[in-house]
Amino acid sequence: EPAADLVGFEQNQNGLRNTEEYIQCPFCKGENKSAVVFFDGPVKEYFVYCKACGIETVDVFKTKAAAIKAFAAGKNKKITEGGANNDG
């Protein structure tokens, strides 16, 4: 059984977890909540990624709230097939 702090998380082989917390992207304004908060378990940091428009926070954060705030404030980078491309 998973630890209490991991309930609701989906973990991949690298320790990256989807927190299942979806938020509306302030950039693509998707009809549904297309951005998701991720938790990187090994380093205990959060970031936000939008599946619809392909952006994520430019940094990682120690708290979920800080990651969401930075994402909403536009502190993001565009992710391309060739890797990260800073657009802002």
Side-chain angles (χ1 to χ4, degrees):
E1 185 168 40
D5 62 336
L6 301 182
V7 173
F9 285 69
E10 200 176 287
Q11 183 173 1
N12 72 10
Q13 67 274 13
N14 297 322
L16 187 64
R17 299 182 185 109
N18 175 341
T19 66
E20 301 294 330
E21 182 167 341
Y22 295 88
I23 58 176
Q24 184 176 20
C25 177
F27 304 98
C28 71
K29 306 276 191 231
E31 287 183 25
N32 58 8
K33 295 180 177 181
S34 56
V36 65
V37 180
F38 284 91
F39 177 68
D40 189 346
V43 292
K44 296 180 173 59
E45 295 174 323
Y46 292 87
F47 68 94
V48 180
Y49 172 71
C50 177
K51 299 180 291 184
C53 64
I55 62 169
E56 73 177 24
T57 49
V58 71
D59 291 312
V60 292
F61 302 88
K62 294 294 181 187
T63 67
K64 187 187 318 181
I68 292 170
K69 182 177 180 180
F71 187 76
K75 296 178 181 177
N76 306 300
K77 61 185 174 186
K78 181 78 173 172
I79 304 299
T80 64
E81 290 193 22
N85 175 23
N86 289 334
D87 284 343

